[in-house]
Amino acid sequence: MAFCGKCGTEYEEGAKFCPSCGASTEIIEEPAPIIEEQPVEQAQPENFADKFAAMNETPDITDSYTAEDIGANKVMGILAYCGPLVLVPILAAKESPFAKFHSNQGLVLMILHIIIIIACTVLAVIPIIGWIIGLILPLVSFVLSVLGIINVINGRAKELPLVGKFRILK
């Protein structure tokens, strides 16, 4: 015995139409759908870590500094990313190109942080969205400072994402 594909009624084999609904009992095979191949796009970063790593691909000019300069001025480089303490390497390590590089980035970062504080103060009056932005922007500034400190500890002169390309100190 066979069953109708449309209504499910049982019918005798050999019948051309369903006795209940009148649908044809012939099995018609439909051709497989044609699937067009889509062009392969470049792999886009899918998660936060990949996006962050892609954003952190900035110029590294460590080779232009001597190992002695790097070793002698790591503390000054770290101080450059500690807010107002950026003045210490600017004034005390004037002759060190490595300290000057990180002092420049620290100074730009401190200016950015001041702008962020002002923006957060203004945005605080906007409920929810302003508060969320007010939490995220200082976090961005903090992460950039940590990246700078990590670069100094590793003895690298690598530009920070977003702010590293700006030059204030010559």
Side-chain angles (χ1 to χ4, degrees):
M1 289 296 220
F3 295 92
C4 175
K6 187 171 182 183
C7 69
T9 304
E10 188 175 349
Y11 63 88
E12 291 186 26
E13 289 189 36
K16 299 222 183 235
F17 298 98
C18 172
S20 177
C21 69
S24 174
T25 59
E26 291 183 25
I27 298 174
I28 301 172
E29 290 188 29
E30 293 183 23
I34 299 173
I35 300 174
E36 293 182 24
E37 289 188 29
Q38 300 294 325
V40 178
E41 296 180 15
Q42 287 184 337
Q44 297 293 325
E46 294 183 14
N47 59 27
F48 179 76
D50 291 341
K51 289 179 183 178
F52 184 76
M55 186 177 73
N56 198 25
E57 291 296 322
T58 57
D60 187 346
I61 57 171
T62 306
D63 295 339
S64 60
Y65 302 107
T66 65
E68 294 82 24
D69 183 26
I70 293 171
N73 290 293
K74 281 189 177 183
V75 173
M76 291 297 176
I78 291 171
L79 289 176
Y81 295 101
C82 298
L85 293 179
V86 70
L87 294 175
V88 173
I90 289 173
L91 299 173
K94 294 177 188 175
E95 304 303 317
S96 168
F98 183 74
K100 191 179 279 188
F101 173 82
H102 287 289
S103 295
N104 180 73
Q105 292 202 129
L107 188 59
V108 171
L109 200 54
M110 189 176 79
I111 292 169
L112 174 69
H113 190 68
I114 291 168
I115 292 169
I116 286 173
I117 289 171
I118 294 168
C120 289
T121 304
V122 171
L123 292 172
V125 297
I126 302 171
I128 301 172
I129 293 174
W131 302 336
I132 292 170
I133 293 171
L135 291 173
I136 292 173
L137 289 180
L139 183 63
V140 169
S141 177
F142 176 74
V143 168
L144 290 174
S145 294
V146 170
L147 281 175
I149 291 170
I150 290 170
N151 285 339
V152 171
I153 291 170
N154 291 330
R156 293 176 23 203
K158 185 172 171 148
E159 290 183 359
L160 292 174
L162 307 174
V163 298
K165 60 184 162 247
F166 298 105
R167 298 284 180 257
I168 296 174
L169 302 176
K170 300 278 178 184

